[in-house]
Amino acid sequence: RVDPDLYEAISKIELRNGTIHYHEMARIVSMKASALDSVSSEADVDSNRRKIVVACAGTTDLPVAEEAAVTLEAAGCDVVRVYDAGVAGLHPIIWGL
């Protein structure tokens, strides 16, 4: 897990071929290679592509769920987040589908 202080130290490292991004809720750092800057953006993504739902029951699960969502997006997946969908209501998950 990466806290803001560690991210600050990491961000001082000079990168030659990419950029880093801190995902505060997931407490992770991702890197995007400069060569990927020319790859199509989300606006160019096929609208018929299937979606992956990342759901979690409560706020204590948010960091792990967000880490999964960020990882899936980095792999090029279309992610729908459904957070705080505990046992009190299954409807947010169904609506997310």
Side-chain angles (χ1 to χ4, degrees):
R1 297 287 179 211
V2 178
D3 62 26
D5 292 334
L6 180 55
Y7 171 68
E8 185 178 333
I10 292 170
S11 67
K12 293 178 182 173
I13 299 170
E14 186 176 330
L15 299 176
R16 290 181 275 167
N17 296 307
T19 57
I20 60 171
H21 180 74
Y22 179 52
H23 305 272
E24 188 172 359
M25 186 185 306
R27 299 187 306 242
I28 61 173
V29 173
S30 64
M31 180 181 168
K32 182 177 179 183
S34 299
L36 295 177
D37 288 341
S38 61
V39 176
S40 65
S41 68
E42 288 184 35
D44 299 329
V45 172
D46 180 9
S47 62
N48 294 322
R49 187 168 69 166
R50 293 183 182 184
K51 298 178 184 341
I52 298 173
V53 175
V54 174
C56 70
T59 56
T60 56
D61 300 325
L62 281 174
V64 174
E66 187 61 16
E67 179 180 357
V70 169
T71 302
L72 287 164
E73 288 172 337
C77 299
D78 192 8
V79 177
V80 175
R81 290 164 170 82
V82 180
Y83 293 163
D84 201 20
V87 294
L90 186 59
H91 56 282
I93 294 174
I94 293 171
W95 291 338
L97 300 175

